[in-house]
Amino acid sequence: MATMATGFLIAGVAAAAPASAAGNYSCSNWKQTPHSWSATCTVRSGQARSITECSNGKTLYGTWVGRGTWRFGGECGVYWVVSQDTRGRG
């Protein structure tokens, strides 16, 4: 599982995540295929990461990143993306 904090982070499938009380961030420009997803996320304080659940039962966690604009996303290979999420913390 490759993570690129400067470009692409591993994660999952859903609608735009709201800013979290545990970290101030927001995501936009969501794109999705059956096997992958991506979004542009801006972290204003705290940290955030992406989470992807694949149809083979694996959950992929992105690296926690701090302030800045990042591309979050997930890639399940030949398996389907079952769910995607972003999480924030302090």
Side-chain angles (χ1 to χ4, degrees):
M1 166 174 59
T3 60
M4 295 177 269
T6 58
F8 196 79
L9 297 178
I10 302 301
V13 180
S20 168
N24 189 4
Y25 71 96
S26 61
C27 299
S28 62
N29 196 27
W30 292 79
K31 295 183 177 158
Q32 185 175 331
T33 72
H35 307 282
S36 67
W37 71 277
S38 67
T40 302
C41 299
T42 300
V43 180
R44 289 177 287 285
S45 66
Q47 295 180 312
R49 73 175 176 180
S50 58
I51 302 169
T52 302
E53 291 183 31
C54 301
S55 62
N56 64 345
K58 293 195 178 201
T59 302
L60 308 173
Y61 297 93
T63 303
W64 288 105
V65 294
R67 290 178 58 148
T69 299
W70 308 95
R71 185 172 180 208
F72 283 23
E75 169 64 54
C76 292
V78 299
Y79 299 98
W80 297 84
V81 173
V82 175
S83 68
Q84 70 188 34
D85 198 5
T86 58
R87 297 272 164 86
R89 68 179 181 186

